[in-house]
Amino acid sequence: MRIFIKRIGDEGETFRGEEPAAIMELQEEDVQFLDPVRYDLLAQVQQNALLVTGRLSAPVHLRCSRCLKIFVQELVVERFVYHLELSGQDSVDLTPQIREDIILELPQRALCDGSCKGLCPHCGTDLNVATCSCRPETGSPQWQVLDSLKLK
Ligand SMILES: [Zn+2]
Ligand SMILES: [Zn+2]
């Protein structure tokens, strides 16, 4: 999103709206921006410097690292701050900064829910919606070997 310096009055100028998801330039299998990025920003020019502050939010589709389901998480930048010394330019493109700040909000490890039980490592059952009859003792080959040793 490009803002024009000369249009910013003494009181500053408010920018509210949406940018297309395409500005995120990030479409991986497990991380997809499909919905618009929302912004609510105040731009001010003070002593030949541009200051933009406000809030950004963008829903992102992520794959849960435990149960592998795709879920939507809202990434929110509560305090976006952009400061630039002006040197005669008419406009400034905030897009790279917006993109970077939103990407910093991506979780290191995506979880659909903090208590997600994940998939059974043996049969693949989603343990959030069903239970399976696997037991660690019978499902792991190592345990089977130990069990047979004990029998002897
Ligand atoms: Zn999950
Ligand atoms: Zn199982």
Side-chain angles (χ1 to χ4, degrees):
M1 84 172 268
R2 189 165 281 280
I3 56 177
F4 290 87
I5 309 297
K6 293 201 180 88
R7 290 192 204 155
I8 301 172
D10 293 341
E11 305 283 287
E13 191 178 348
T14 302
F15 295 90
R16 262 189 215 112
E18 294 181 347
E19 288 284 305
I23 69 158
M24 295 310 296
E25 292 180 2
L26 179 80
Q27 298 297 351
E28 291 174 12
E29 198 189 329
D30 296 344
V31 181
Q32 297 203 5
F33 288 92
L34 302 174
D35 307 298
V37 174
R38 288 187 294 278
Y39 56 85
D40 186 349
L41 302 171
L42 174 67
Q44 293 166 289
V45 176
Q46 294 164 337
Q47 292 164 358
N48 221 30
L50 171 70
L51 178 66
V52 183
T53 54
R55 186 178 191 274
L56 307 171
S57 64
V60 62
H61 294 240
L62 298 172
R63 187 182 296 277
C64 176
S65 59
R66 284 188 199 153
C67 71
L68 309 180
K69 261 200 305 271
I70 299 288
F71 66 101
V72 179
Q73 183 171 334
E74 186 84 4
L75 302 179
V76 179
V77 179
E78 288 290 354
R79 286 203 225 168
F80 176 78
V81 178
Y82 178 77
H83 183 265
L84 180 74
E85 294 294 331
L86 295 172
S87 51
Q89 60 267 62
D90 292 333
S91 67
V92 173
D93 185 11
L94 293 179
T95 308
Q97 194 66 44
I98 289 174
R99 178 165 55 230
E100 191 173 307
D101 278 33
I102 290 173
I103 286 178
L104 285 175
E105 294 296 323
L106 278 170
Q108 297 273 334
R109 200 157 167 267
L111 280 183
C112 65
D113 186 293
S115 62
C116 175
K117 297 191 185 80
L119 303 181
C120 170
H122 306 298
C123 70
T125 295
D126 183 345
L127 300 175
N128 295 304
V129 295
T131 51
C132 64
S133 52
C134 301
R135 286 182 301 144
E137 291 83 2
T138 56
S140 157
Q142 284 149 344
W143 283 109
Q144 281 171 3
V145 172
L146 280 180
D147 284 347
S148 58
L149 286 175
K150 274 183 220 152
L151 291 174
K152 284 171 190 165

